Amino acid sequence: MKTLKNHIKLVFPSHSENEGLARLAVSGFLAAEGADVSVIAELKTAVSEGVTNAIVHGYRNTHGLVTLEIKLFDSGRAKILIKDKGAGIEDITKAMEPLFTTAPEEERAGLGFAIMQSFCDKLRVRSAPGKGTTLTLEKYIYKR
Amino acid sequence: MLPTINYCAERRILSVFLKGELDHHNTRPIREQTDIAVTKYRPALLVLDFSGVTFMDSSGIGLVMGRYKRMHDMGADLLIANPTPPIERLIRLASVERIVRIVYTAHSGTVKE
Ligand SMILES: Nc1ncnc2c1ncn2[C@@H]1O[C@H](COP(=O)(O)OP(=O)(O)O)[C@@H](O)[C@H]1O
Ligand SMILES: [Mg+2]
């Protein structure tokens, strides 16, 4: 980690159109830094999952701001933060179980966390009911 | 701009050519249009063709599983056709290929508007 090489921060309202905008920001930032194409595809998917969760679950029946922050370190590690100030998660362990979803009637697959975990080197979830959720995704972005 | 689907129905096969980015935002209209076509044609086989899909996350998995349940309830079958490698990877990660078969057709990637 250590020295910060580049950094962007994007704050946007929880409209579902912005899921695509978040993906564009991630792929644009990483491509400009010369990241590996398969890493870009994986992080794009992971960010799409995290941002969708903020919009769909965090701000269910309400609106708010989603923050997406990407930090790139000299070591080649990217740290991505996805933050909402919405509903929060009661039981994080349960929420992270593959196929678990609180919205089956909307055809949510319950695989968002599983995909984020499998496409990143590290995933951290901090959440408190009524306060919101912050995800921290980490991944080495160059060809190994 | 909302995505639209193209489809063709022949005998009792309905092929739906999905297009664009299958995320949460775009999946809803695609699902609605697909279901309208299914209600209209009552196919024995629904083919979801992914050759025009440029991005997919778990919303696409939800779409496939939802159509699978619907077709199953109608006594009909579902096939996934022509996913690109990243999409096939996601489908396998979700273990969807255990219940829905993936096929590749000769015209893969050459679907026109
Ligand atoms: N940002 C969030 N705010 C509140 N709840 C969340 C958030 N992210 C995830 N969850 C909860 O965790 C569950 C599992 O999330 P996920 O694995 O992405 O599956 P899905 O989105 O398909 O339900 C969700 O159904 C929801 O209950
Ligand atoms: Mg999700």
Side-chain angles (χ1 to χ4, degrees):
Chain A
M1 283 278 172
K2 300 251 164 62
T3 335
L4 197 58
K5 190 178 175 225
N6 201 358
H7 178 201
I8 56 165
K9 186 169 175 172
L10 193 67
V11 182
F12 52 87
S14 55
H15 305 152
S16 60
E17 298 96 302
N18 288 332
E19 293 156 9
L21 180 74
R23 290 196 298 273
L24 272 177
V26 172
S27 52
F29 178 94
L30 293 173
E33 292 293 345
D36 181 41
V37 282
S38 65
V39 170
I40 298 178
E42 288 171 341
L43 283 178
K44 229 174 113 174
T45 311
V47 165
S48 196
E49 295 295 344
V51 167
T52 300
N53 279 356
I55 293 170
V56 172
H57 305 296
Y59 295 118
R60 173 161 297 263
N61 306 322
T62 166
H63 294 285
L65 295 175
V66 181
T67 305
L68 170 68
E69 220 178 323
I70 314 172
K71 290 175 178 171
L72 177 64
F73 296 91
D74 268 349
S75 59
R77 302 214 126 250
K79 197 171 189 172
I80 302 178
L81 280 91
I82 302 165
K83 196 184 306 184
D84 71 69
K85 292 193 169 154
I89 303 171
E90 295 256 3
D91 185 342
I92 297 176
T93 313
K94 176 125 214 157
M96 291 179 80
E97 275 171 23
L99 304 179
F100 176 84
T101 180
T102 46
E105 70 292 344
E106 290 163 32
E107 297 193 348
R108 307 300 314 151
L111 291 169
F113 280 122
I115 289 170
M116 285 187 270
Q117 255 166 341
S118 117
F119 284 5
C120 297
D121 297 337
K122 216 160 136 188
L123 168 69
R124 194 162 54 125
V125 184
R126 274 189 303 148
S127 189
K131 292 233 165 71
T133 302
T134 301
L135 306 180
T136 310
L137 283 55
E138 279 180 43
K139 195 173 173 77
Y140 180 78
I141 67 159
Y142 301 113
K143 234 187 173 66
R144 295 229 191 231
Chain B
M1 192 189 66
L2 288 179
T4 53
I5 56 162
N6 291 310
Y7 61 80
C8 64
E10 218 179 289
R11 299 201 190 145
R12 299 206 55 213
I13 302 174
L14 175 66
S15 296
V16 171
F17 299 92
L18 304 168
K19 209 169 65 178
E21 310 210 303
L22 273 194
D23 64 0
H24 156 255
H25 180 69
N26 294 328
T27 299
R28 194 168 57 114
I30 288 175
R31 175 172 70 222
E32 286 167 1
Q33 291 171 47
T34 303
D35 285 351
I36 288 169
V38 166
T39 306
K40 185 172 168 191
Y41 294 103
R42 306 232 116 226
L45 173 66
L46 172 66
V47 181
L48 293 177
D49 191 303
F50 281 78
S51 48
V53 176
T54 51
F55 171 83
M56 185 172 107
D57 63 17
S58 68
S59 308
I61 301 294
L63 177 83
V64 172
M65 293 315 293
R67 282 340 95 222
Y68 171 76
K69 277 187 204 125
R70 198 149 179 231
M71 298 314 288
H72 187 78
D73 289 348
M74 289 169 56
D77 284 326
L78 175 69
L79 281 183
I80 293 171
N82 308 316
T84 59
I87 287 166
E88 187 179 337
R89 184 176 167 208
L90 209 70
I91 288 169
R92 292 192 186 280
L93 190 100
S95 300
V96 171
E97 87 285 0
R98 287 195 203 157
I99 31 179
V100 185
R101 212 147 58 85
I102 305 173
V103 295
Y104 296 90
T105 57
H107 67 279
S108 170
T110 61
V111 179
K112 292 275 150 34
E113 297 297 287

